[in-house]
Amino acid sequence: MRKNYFNLSRPYVFIPMSADVIHHGHINLFKKAKKYGNIIIGLMTDAGIKSYKKKSPYFTYKLRKKVLKEIKCIKKIIPLNGLEYAKTARKYQLDFFVHGDDWKKGPQSKERDILIKTMKKWNGRVLEFKYTANVSSSKIKKKLNIKK
């Protein structure tokens, strides 16, 4: 039996996110994920976001965390300092790692491949859900002309 790291019952369902702009696509993801167990958010730090998106978030880590704390299905929020998915999964022996299906290409694809191999070691699973059509934080920021 795996250790209880978060004072939560297992299974642990981990979702990494920037959460700079929360929208209904995120809520759809949370609804799907909570069917698998207790949701733990790996919230990207400001430096973590900048490390792979090459720009700073609009809202600070503290403010983004404040918003996420109000979403009732989220049981725990921990800081994530960049694309440290496999390292985090290994540290907490995550049962499920949830992500939208957009990460198969781009800056997260290499870490995705490492994560899948890593989680197989203890029968952890990577769950990839289809993105909600026609919505993304990037599109919203572009439409609102948010440069940061």
Side-chain angles (χ1 to χ4, degrees), residues 9 16 33 46 60 75 108 121 126 141-142:
S9 61
D46 299 344
T60 65
K75 302 302 179 194
Q108 299 183 73
K121 294 175 184 172
V126 174
K141 285 180 176 183
K142 189 174 183 177

Side-chain angles (χ1 to χ4, degrees), residues 23-33 36 98-104 126-135:
H23 51 72
H24 66 282
H26 292 119
I27 302 304
N28 291 342
L29 184 69
F30 298 153
K31 282 181 165 184
K32 290 174 187 173
Y36 292 88
V98 173
H99 205 288
D101 63 357
D102 67 322
W103 68 332
K104 294 176 183 179
V126 174
L127 304 175
E128 298 171 318
F129 294 115
K130 189 164 178 58
Y131 253 58
T132 301
N134 302 315
V135 66

